[in-house]
Amino acid sequence: MDDNHYINQVIAGNSALFAVLIDRHKDLVFTLCLNITRSREDAEEVAQDSFLKAFQKLSTFRNDSGFRTWLYRIAYNEAITKVRKKKVVTTSLDDRFIDELPDEEYEESIAGMDEAEQKEVIGRVLEKLPETDRVIVTLYYLESCPVREISEITGLGESNVKVRLHRIRKRIYSELQHIFKIKSLSL
């Protein structure tokens, strides 16, 4: 059954079926919240709040963009609100030479590493990205969301999402170059 079936059942009074929707979307909602809040506890709280808000507002869901997009937009907004309340300061990567770097090279930089090493290095790089950029990377690369859907979730224009993806790739490449330079100096 698709999400719309369960949504209609919940609206009709069978609220227990909302658990199916939670089960289907809990992993990405949590990941999205974790990428923004950078705290497991805060991410769990925000994810729960997001599902509660979605349940309470389910009757207002219009199905214009799909339940998944609507739910992720709620989670995104809740997580951003949580971060703003805590006034968490993020460390951005240095933008100095980013626009001069070619797109394809960042992939070649990690091609020679084993999978565990790749995950560790990429995880360190992603931690340095601002929360919105981490969300965009997660949605685009891990969840295969199209740019249009990312635009709806984040509230950014489609062209802005594309530009950010381009710049994020450049930042990742720049940071990987820095990491590899440090690794080679320590050898």
Side-chain angles (χ1 to χ4, degrees):
M1 302 283 181
D2 69 352
D3 288 344
N4 289 330
H5 169 78
Y6 294 105
I7 290 167
N8 291 333
Q9 292 294 314
V10 172
I11 291 172
N14 191 352
S15 59
L17 288 178
F18 193 73
V20 174
L21 296 170
I22 292 172
D23 194 50
R24 281 187 180 177
H25 300 284
K26 67 183 177 191
D27 292 336
L28 183 61
V29 167
F30 174 76
T31 301
L32 187 72
C33 295
L34 183 61
N35 280 331
I36 295 170
T37 64
R38 293 186 177 196
S39 161
R40 185 170 197 77
E41 294 80 22
D42 288 345
E44 289 171 354
E45 179 183 335
V46 171
Q48 288 175 351
D49 291 346
S50 300
F51 281 113
L52 179 60
K53 190 170 194 173
F55 178 75
Q56 292 169 338
K57 303 283 185 182
L58 195 58
S59 63
T60 67
F61 173 65
R62 294 184 311 240
N63 202 17
D64 293 340
S65 58
F67 178 74
R68 178 176 92 158
T69 303
W70 182 75
L71 176 62
Y72 297 166
R73 178 73 182 167
I74 290 172
Y76 176 81
N77 288 336
E78 291 289 313
I80 292 295
T81 300
K82 178 77 168 182
V83 169
R84 285 183 182 149
K85 284 181 182 175
K86 288 183 90 172
K87 295 183 182 177
V88 174
V89 177
T90 60
T91 306
S92 182
L93 295 175
D94 190 1
D95 284 334
R96 277 185 284 173
F97 302 104
I98 288 176
D99 288 331
E100 298 172 13
L101 302 172
D103 271 338
E104 302 80 28
E105 288 186 36
Y106 78 96
E107 293 174 0
E108 295 169 12
S109 298
I110 61 171
M113 304 169 86
D114 66 36
E115 187 176 340
E117 217 176 4
Q118 286 178 3
K119 284 182 180 179
E120 187 240 324
V121 168
I122 291 172
R124 287 187 359 221
V125 171
L126 291 178
E127 275 299 308
K128 293 184 178 186
L129 294 174
E131 61 269 354
T132 301
D133 290 350
R134 283 194 313 274
V135 168
I136 290 171
V137 167
T138 300
L139 292 173
Y140 189 77
Y141 289 106
L142 300 180
E143 292 302 318
S144 302
C145 288
V147 170
R148 176 193 46 76
E149 188 172 357
I150 296 170
S151 172
E152 291 175 22
I153 291 168
T154 61
L156 300 169
E158 287 184 38
S159 60
N160 195 334
V161 171
K162 290 176 187 176
V163 167
R164 281 182 179 241
L165 280 168
H166 175 74
R167 288 185 178 159
I168 291 166
R169 284 191 290 269
K170 302 257 187 218
R171 285 183 181 135
I172 290 171
Y173 174 73
S174 176
E175 187 63 21
L176 287 174
Q177 290 297 90
H178 179 71
I179 289 170
F180 290 130
K181 188 181 287 185
I182 290 172
K183 273 188 163 186
S184 67
L185 291 175
S186 68
L187 295 176

